Amino acid sequence: MTEPNVPRRSDEELIGRADLNDIEAILAITNTDADAPFHDVGATVDTRFTWDYERARPQLGKLYEKAKLTQWNANDLPWQTDVDQEEVVRANAAMSAASGLAPMMDLSDTPFAAWGTSERSETPPDARSHA
């Protein structure tokens, strides 16, 4: 809450620009000290953003572990499992087409339209997934 006799500072005084929605100015902001564990922001009420995600507070750790029980836990996944990316894509496409939710991808106006089985099988899956 603002003190009764303290004048409210303008947006320009607080953030250095008059336009709050200036996307270019927002995107130009960089963290000048990436190794700092926190960043203080001055305001009528001081606010501290902390980047220290260590488990310094046991209650927060308990809450995190409790939340993992009601969601999926990355530690429980079999990360060593081999995944056939092409088969996953085919299965997803077939399910989408069968459900009527999404049409099959139309590649007719792309370079991929001329590809045959040999081109598809010779191109590594990781090269195709970043096209």
Side-chain angles (χ1 to χ4, degrees):
M1 189 172 259
T2 306
E3 299 277 331
N5 295 324
V6 176
R8 178 174 151 74
R9 293 188 286 173
S10 70
D11 293 335
E12 190 165 12
E13 290 174 308
L14 290 171
I15 63 172
R17 64 179 187 278
D19 183 5
L20 293 174
N21 300 316
D22 182 349
I23 299 299
E24 294 300 320
I26 293 168
L27 295 176
I29 298 171
T30 59
N31 183 2
T32 57
D33 190 359
D35 295 327
F38 57 84
H39 176 75
D40 290 329
V41 176
T44 304
V45 176
D46 289 337
T47 304
R48 174 173 284 182
F49 292 95
T50 179
W51 314 126
D52 178 14
Y53 296 112
E54 296 298 319
R55 294 183 183 210
R57 297 183 293 183
Q59 298 88 353
L60 191 56
K62 283 177 61 176
L63 179 62
Y64 173 71
E65 292 301 325
K66 187 175 180 181
K68 286 194 321 185
L69 294 175
T70 59
Q71 301 175 31
W72 64 272
N73 184 346
N75 296 330
D76 295 338
L77 298 176
W79 292 102
Q80 69 281 1
T81 304
D82 287 329
V83 176
D84 181 349
Q85 291 184 17
E86 292 178 359
E87 182 55 36
V88 170
V89 170
R90 280 193 294 272
N92 287 342
M95 283 191 303
S96 293
S99 68
L101 294 176
M104 294 295 287
M105 187 181 300
D106 180 14
L107 300 176
S108 59
D109 292 333
T110 71
F112 301 110
W115 279 27
T117 305
S118 62
E119 289 89 358
R120 283 192 288 275
S121 62
E122 290 171 8
T123 306
D126 60 331
R128 284 180 265 150
S129 62
H130 301 301

